[in-house]
Amino acid sequence: MVRRRCYGVTTVVSSPSTSRRLVRRALIYAMGARPNFVKMAPVIRRLRERLPDARHVVVHTGQHYDSMMAEAFIEELNVPEPDYVLGVGSGSHAVQTARVMARIEPVFEAERADLVLVPGDVNSTLAVALVAAKLGIPLGHVEAGLRSFDRTMPEEINRIVADEFSDYLFIHCEDARENLRAEGIASERIHFVGNTMIDSLVSVEPRFRELDSAAKLGLARGQYLLVTLHRPVLVDGPLLREVLDQLGRIASELPVVFPAHPRTRKMMARMPVAPGIHVLDPRGYLDFLSLEADAAAVLTDSGGVQEETTYLGVPCFTLRDNTERPITIRAGTNTLLGLAAESIADIPAALASPDGQRRPALEGWDGHAAERIADVIATALDAAQETAVARHIPV
Ligand code: UD1
Ligand code: UDP
């Protein structure tokens, strides 16, 4: 028997004397930044269960490399040990994207996968999507279709490109479907599966609920503001000092816990920080979720944190002019403050008169999104294999 593998579909060519045998299927999961691990851990787990005979190849691009930005998540979320670590590190957008592209291409050549899966909207996502598209490897995008309609954000460009070249667009809100349809993406490529970031949260909820990470900082549950900020527009310029100033003013009334992203920490190095602001290194996933679930409120510019606070029913204040996650605002948990440091002063009063819905139930934010992704993929791979067999094996 002659086996021939081409990207995309496993084809089988047999001589009339041989029996039907299919080549083992392969899936590549490519990720590289903190939120990527959270979104992909349940997807890898479910696909390994669903397709036990396939090869499941995990690639860590190394976009994030500090142990508390990467390894901590791999361990706490039980992501399998990566088969490839590309070690791309930090750099300008072009340098970082190009390094991922150059280093993943030989992986794709070696592994000859039937499908590549990427999550989210980081530079690693863009780079992997472009290489897969050029090699003609089917591509799936987890968290497709989100749009801030702000092309000054690098993430917006990354999302648009990843979606354009994806064969399987896995969405977790109806806004995403509308955005993709408006860009001319065919309905057959779009699959409403729900939110895999919430799958991860649900899977560890009993563990983080018992942690009481606030107590370790000498704070009471429900009586502090949790802050995370890392967008360049906010932390790379003068706004960061204004934000710290405003946080200092409310900290005597509402203590502030600020686990700072390394980008933010570097910028804060020489800035004065008022007493009452607890600046911390980035937290591990469980520790952070404990702080998030028990906070009086969260101030953030993070995409994932807007979603997690919605699931948890914790008031969230987003220090941005826009969000690609308007569903969190409609749910009543998230308030868009604008890119205006002075609006932080209004947070204590807003908390005194809460009007948001607590723990809204959103379709597909239920802990089972990755199972639905696995269903779609398993069905599609089976169909592709059947087609290959029908084309190449005389019956
Ligand atoms: C990236 C994503 C952003 C995502 C965020 C999640 C892009 C364009 N941006 O932003 O969409 O929301 O990850 O956290 O892909 N650094 C370290 N150690 C690390 C990682 C980064 O010190 O492990 C520092 C370096 O100084 C680096 C800077 O942080 O230059 C920025 O890192 P980078 O990965 O380029 O972007 P993020 O701001 O992390
Ligand atoms: N997170 C964490 N520790 C922290 C800050 C965030 O574990 O100190 C988690 C958070 O719970 C969420 C994810 O990291 O699951 C969000 O990542 P980030 O804000 O870096 O990226 P974004 O979602 O904005 O792309």
Side-chain angles (χ1 to χ4, degrees):
M1 180 168 81
V2 181
R3 291 180 187 175
R4 186 186 301 143
R5 300 290 308 276
C6 66
Y7 284 129
V9 178
T10 300
T11 59
V12 180
V13 182
S14 79
S15 69
S17 60
T18 58
S19 59
R20 282 158 68 128
R21 268 188 68 205
L22 297 178
V23 178
R24 200 172 167 209
R25 294 180 293 196
L27 291 91
I28 295 181
Y29 311 90
M31 65 209 92
R34 173 166 72 183
N36 290 175
F37 301 112
V38 182
K39 290 164 195 172
M40 286 301 271
V43 177
I44 301 171
R45 188 178 319 126
R46 294 301 174 202
L47 273 159
R48 277 162 59 114
E49 286 166 9
R50 185 69 199 256
L51 300 171
D53 297 330
R55 273 183 308 119
H56 297 269
V57 180
V58 177
V59 180
H60 172 18
T61 66
Q63 174 169 346
H64 285 172
Y65 43 86
D66 290 352
S67 62
M68 292 312 286
M69 297 295 289
E71 276 80 10
F73 291 81
I74 292 173
E75 272 174 39
E76 288 186 81
L77 287 157
N78 284 321
V79 175
E81 195 59 36
D83 300 281
Y84 297 88
V85 180
L86 305 185
V88 302
S90 305
S92 70
H93 286 274
V95 166
Q96 193 175 55
T97 306
R99 273 197 213 129
V100 177
M101 290 180 73
R103 294 182 193 182
I104 199 134
E105 190 177 49
V107 174
F108 286 175
E109 299 281 6
E111 296 290 345
R112 305 179 80 78
D114 298 278
L115 181 70
V116 172
L117 279 172
V118 287
D121 54 17
V122 303
N123 284 346
S124 298
T125 310
L126 167 74
V128 172
L130 281 175
V131 177
K134 295 234 172 195
L135 291 175
I137 311 174
L139 179 67
H141 185 202
V142 176
E143 195 193 81
L146 300 187
R147 296 290 180 270
S148 64
F149 303 100
D150 175 359
R151 291 194 178 187
T152 66
M153 290 182 73
E155 294 81 5
E156 185 76 351
I157 295 164
N158 296 345
R159 293 181 195 117
I160 290 170
V161 175
D163 286 340
E164 174 64 29
F165 292 116
S166 288
D167 302 273
Y168 303 94
L169 296 108
F170 297 113
I171 63 168
H172 69 260
C173 55
E174 284 301 330
D175 302 310
R177 192 191 304 281
E178 280 170 35
N179 296 336
L180 294 170
R181 295 293 294 128
E183 289 173 19
I185 293 188
S187 301
E188 309 84 80
R189 286 160 60 195
I190 305 169
H191 303 272
F192 188 105
V193 291
N195 194 329
T196 67
M197 200 167 218
I198 301 305
D199 285 12
S200 279
L201 188 159
V202 169
S203 73
V204 297
E205 187 157 7
R207 288 161 68 201
F208 75 73
R209 288 283 179 195
E210 66 186 22
L211 276 183
D212 198 2
S213 295
K216 292 171 196 129
L217 299 170
L219 296 169
R221 284 178 159 156
Q223 292 184 19
Y224 59 89
L225 178 72
L226 178 68
V227 178
T228 81
L229 301 168
H230 67 273
R231 302 280 165 206
V233 65
L234 196 51
V235 307
D236 285 0
L239 265 174
L240 183 59
R241 193 179 279 269
E242 288 178 37
V243 167
L244 286 174
D245 193 36
Q246 292 291 342
L247 288 174
R249 288 183 199 188
I250 63 167
S252 53
E253 198 180 337
L254 185 64
V256 171
V257 179
F258 191 167
H261 186 288
R263 171 180 214 123
T264 314
R265 192 75 190 251
K266 279 173 198 162
M267 300 308 288
M268 283 167 68
R270 284 181 299 280
M271 292 182 188
V273 175
I277 304 182
H278 303 253
V279 178
L280 310 173
D281 286 334
R283 309 322 289 165
Y285 183 56
L286 295 173
D287 196 14
F288 185 81
L289 286 177
S290 169
L291 289 170
E292 195 176 23
D294 290 339
V298 178
L299 174 72
T300 195
D301 59 4
S302 159
V305 171
Q306 290 174 65
E307 294 184 352
E308 289 169 348
T309 47
T310 293
Y311 180 80
L312 294 166
V314 172
C316 179
F317 297 89
T318 297
L319 204 54
R320 289 174 45 186
D321 285 333
N322 52 55
T323 177
E324 61 289 328
R325 291 158 162 97
I327 189 172
T328 60
I329 294 175
R330 291 197 300 273
T333 53
N334 190 11
T335 305
L336 207 54
L337 290 181
L339 203 52
E342 63 278 11
S343 59
I344 291 170
D346 301 331
I347 292 176
L351 292 177
S353 52
D355 57 0
Q357 190 189 346
R358 307 292 287 181
R359 296 210 78 160
L362 298 181
E363 188 190 353
W365 298 37
D366 59 358
H368 300 287
E371 286 160 44
R372 292 186 280 268
I373 290 177
D375 280 346
V376 171
I377 290 174
T379 306
L381 291 183
D382 284 348
Q385 206 161 46
E386 285 304 316
T387 306
V389 169
R391 278 197 194 133
H392 297 289
I393 295 183
V395 182

